[in-house]
């Protein structure tokens, strides 16, 4: 939804005549020093990575959508928008809200601090926003995304439910063509099959519906959201012809937005929108991070998804180095699926730090790997993964989750498992 807001700004255009009128609509999340110093390096100066959150806060008009008692902030949609340094291409990577990831320790905004743990990625927004501060929610979410993607986030923006609905209404609705009827109580949606124009609560329900549509997965919902956002931008480009209609649209967009300080204001947002508007349609790519049901690794977990490695790491590494990612290539690579649980790992401590092998093994088990044993190894400065020749692909899955690890075949390696020798260079907290 947040990317849709930016696309709409780019498609509609923003004239100087309404800069000052709309500036005060935008809310600011002042991140200040909330992100700390331990962050990924910026490997491609000039490019931009913007974390976009579709917020389904249960405050005010959104309260009817329910939620757990005491929770006020939720991230319903989470995306990373990468804009290339040459401004000739951009990629939007959706992160399913049910992604099982490591959430680092975060300030909760109420004077307390959470402990690092694994959980759904959208919990980061709730943890950081415990005290009701959007900046805190944004900071914890940025820290979580950076920790799991190793991608430096430059900017943040969020858009709420009601603002999204206002955008759709300002365009007199968006046409959708569901192949089957959708009846979803949680999304408050009853929609017949076939092409139709939707607005108000139906539009909101359409992008929120999940369990009653297709396979009931969050990835299926993400696909519908991406299609809807593209349709939103296309309609804005073709239908906004009068100053009045443009003004109504931009009022809805700006009132729904919360941004970091750098993006705070119509001028920087208009500049961002213009950059996206100038990118050819064929080079504006929407992806979903490669993933699979976590049930494959943990039989009792039927609710979450695990990111697929090394494919997920390849996507984020490419973006960090400002290399364009092709959707067809990502989808083709994702077909070579290896579950983490099928990778048998022996962890040996060559760092000289007592207990480091056990700590690394614990992190690998949390990520779904099958740890066969732990032990010691001769002193090692560099962390390495060795493997029999026939386990190269499984070794690649492991290496992609251990920062800096070198992988190599070894004829003397034990059959049926890969060996991780932990060197002095590995920081356990840097592991995904």
């Amino acid at each position: 939804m947040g990317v849709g807001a930016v696309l709409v700004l780019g498609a509609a255009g923003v004239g100087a005549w309404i800069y000052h009128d709309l500036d005060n609509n935008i809310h600011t999340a002042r991140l200040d020093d909330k992100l700390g110093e331990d962050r990924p390096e910026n490997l491609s100066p000039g490019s931009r990575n913007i974390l976009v959150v579709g917020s389904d806060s249960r405050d005010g008009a959104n309260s009817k959508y329910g939620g757990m008692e005491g929770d006020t902030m939720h991230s319903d949609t989470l995306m990373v928008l990468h804009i290339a340094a040459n401004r000739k291409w951009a990629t939007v990577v959706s992160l399913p809200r049910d992604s099982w990831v490591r959430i680092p320790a975060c300030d909760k905004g109420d004077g307390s601090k959470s402990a690092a743990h694994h959980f759904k990625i959208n919990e980061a927004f709730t943890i950081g926003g415990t005290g009701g501060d959007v900046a805190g929610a944004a900071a914890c979410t940025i820290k979580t995304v950076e920790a799991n993607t190793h991608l430096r986030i430059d900017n943040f923006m969020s858009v709420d439910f009601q603002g999204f609905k206002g955008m759709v209404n300002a365009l007199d609705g968006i046409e959708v063509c569901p192949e089957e009827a959708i009846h979803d109580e949680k999304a408050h949606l009853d929609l017949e099959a076939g092409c139709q124009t939707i607005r108000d609560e139906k539009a909101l329900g359409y992008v929120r519906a999940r369990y009653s549509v297709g396979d009931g997965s969050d990835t299926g919902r993400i696909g519908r959201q991406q299609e809807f956002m593209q349709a939103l931008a296309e309609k804005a480009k073709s239908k906004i012809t009068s100053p009045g209609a443009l003004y109504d649209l931009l009022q809805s967009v700006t009132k729904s937005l919360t941004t970091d300080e750098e993006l705070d204001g119509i001028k920087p947002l208009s500049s961002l929108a213009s950059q996206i508007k100038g990118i050819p349609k064929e080079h504006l790519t929407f992806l979903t991070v490669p993933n699979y049901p976590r049930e494959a690794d943990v039989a009792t977990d039927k609710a979450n998804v695990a990111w697929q490695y090394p494919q997920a790491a390849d996507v984020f590494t490419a973006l960090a180095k400002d290399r364009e990612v092709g959707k067809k290539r990502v989808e083709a690579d994702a077909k070579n699926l290896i579950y983490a649980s099928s990778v048998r790992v022996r962890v040996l401590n060559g760092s000289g730090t007592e207990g480091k092998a056990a700590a690394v093994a614990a992190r690998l088990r949390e990520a779904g790997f099958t740890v066969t044993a732990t032990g010691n190894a001769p002193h090692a400065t560099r962390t390495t993964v060795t493997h029999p020749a026939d386990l190269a692909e499984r070794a690649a899955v492991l290496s992609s989750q251990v920062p800096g690890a070198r992988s190599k075949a070894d004829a003397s390696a034990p059959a049926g498992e890969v060996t991780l020798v932990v060197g002095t260079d590995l920081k356990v907290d840097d592991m995904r």
Side-chain angles (χ1 to χ4, degrees):
M1 291 187 288
V3 176
V6 177
L7 292 175
V8 165
L9 284 171
V14 183
W17 60 279
I18 55 174
Y19 276 161
H20 298 296
D21 191 39
L22 298 176
D23 255 343
N24 291 333
N25 288 345
I26 302 168
H27 304 284
T28 309
R30 302 189 184 282
L31 298 178
D32 300 323
D33 58 351
K34 290 182 171 62
L35 298 177
E37 299 296 328
D38 188 17
R39 303 182 63 196
E41 181 183 356
N42 182 0
L43 300 179
S44 58
S47 67
R48 299 180 75 172
N49 294 311
I50 303 170
L51 182 64
V52 183
V53 174
S55 171
D56 63 340
S57 167
R58 299 307 198 252
D59 284 340
N62 293 331
S63 61
K64 66 181 177 181
Y65 292 106
M68 295 181 65
E69 185 177 352
D71 287 349
T72 60
M73 294 187 178
H74 301 254
S75 60
D76 187 67
T77 305
L78 194 60
M79 305 175 182
V80 175
L81 166 62
H82 177 90
I83 305 175
N86 62 13
R87 303 303 189 253
K88 293 183 177 180
W89 60 272
T91 298
V92 180
V93 183
S94 292
L95 312 178
R97 65 179 182 179
D98 294 338
S99 297
W100 186 261
V101 300
R102 185 166 179 82
I103 300 176
C106 290
D107 290 326
K108 298 173 70 174
D110 62 356
S112 63
K113 192 168 186 175
S114 66
H117 64 289
H118 275 80
F119 205 73
K120 297 175 187 287
I121 195 169
N122 69 336
E123 190 197 35
F125 198 77
T126 303
I127 290 174
T130 299
D133 180 18
V134 176
C140 189
T141 304
I142 290 171
K143 290 174 66 174
T144 299
V145 170
E146 288 188 341
N148 287 277
T149 66
H150 296 170
L151 193 64
R152 176 88 175 206
I153 300 299
D154 300 299
N155 300 107
F156 167 85
M157 66 168 58
S158 70
V159 61
D160 69 20
F161 273 173
Q162 298 304 316
F164 170 79
K165 186 173 67 176
M167 283 184 259
V168 174
N169 289 350
L171 292 170
D172 293 324
I174 299 296
E175 185 180 56
V176 297
C177 299
E179 295 181 359
E180 299 179 356
I182 304 174
H183 303 290
D184 192 305
E185 291 184 6
K186 290 186 176 181
H188 301 276
L189 179 65
D190 286 296
L191 203 63
E192 298 305 316
C195 293
Q196 56 205 285
T197 298
I198 59 175
R199 53 181 294 156
D200 294 315
E201 297 300 325
K202 282 192 175 182
L204 195 52
Y206 183 78
V207 296
R208 294 186 69 243
R210 171 180 175 180
Y211 298 103
S212 60
V213 189
D215 61 1
S217 70
D218 195 35
T219 53
R221 186 179 71 125
I222 286 171
R224 289 192 303 279
Q225 289 177 344
Q226 292 175 346
E227 292 174 0
F228 199 93
M229 285 189 297
Q230 289 174 308
L232 194 72
E234 288 300 313
K235 188 163 186 181
K237 185 184 298 184
S238 63
K239 297 295 184 182
I240 294 297
T241 57
S242 71
L246 173 62
Y247 183 75
D248 289 344
L249 175 63
L250 294 179
Q251 281 282 358
S252 295
V253 173
T254 54
K255 285 180 178 179
S256 72
L257 283 176
T258 299
T259 73
D260 65 276
E261 291 179 279
E262 186 179 354
L263 289 180
D264 181 20
I266 288 296
K267 287 186 178 181
L269 284 172
S270 179
S271 174
L272 172 63
S274 295
Q275 291 171 15
I276 298 176
K277 183 180 180 181
I279 294 171
K281 185 176 181 180
E282 62 271 21
H283 290 289
L284 177 59
T285 305
F286 287 83
L287 305 171
T288 300
V289 62
N291 65 86
Y292 60 86
R294 189 168 177 262
E295 184 180 5
D297 293 332
V298 180
T300 56
D301 187 352
K302 302 182 186 302
N304 299 302
V305 298
W307 289 359
Q308 180 181 343
Y309 289 96
Q311 291 84 354
D314 290 344
V315 168
F316 295 122
T317 298
L319 296 182
K321 296 180 178 180
D322 205 27
R323 297 199 300 258
E324 190 168 7
V325 180
K327 185 172 184 176
K328 290 184 179 179
R329 175 64 181 274
V330 171
E331 291 176 344
D333 289 347
K335 292 179 181 178
N336 183 25
L337 176 57
I338 297 176
Y339 299 132
S341 57
S342 71
V343 182
R344 295 168 55 82
V345 187
R346 183 171 58 133
V347 183
L348 302 180
N349 188 1
S351 71
T353 301
E354 185 177 353
K356 197 168 184 178
V360 170
R363 292 291 291 270
L364 292 176
R365 289 189 183 99
E366 288 178 334
F369 290 93
T370 300
V371 178
T372 59
T374 59
N376 293 314
H379 179 78
T381 301
R382 185 77 180 268
T383 299
T384 59
V385 175
T386 58
H387 59 87
D390 63 338
L391 294 184
E393 291 183 338
R394 281 170 168 71
V397 174
L398 174 64
S399 298
S400 67
Q401 296 204 61
V402 182
R406 292 181 300 176
S407 182
K408 60 181 180 180
D410 185 345
S412 64
E417 65 181 17
V418 297
T419 301
L420 173 63
V421 177
V422 179
T424 57
D425 63 327
L426 180 63
K427 296 181 180 179
V428 179
D429 286 342
D430 287 345
M431 295 176 63
R432 292 184 173 90

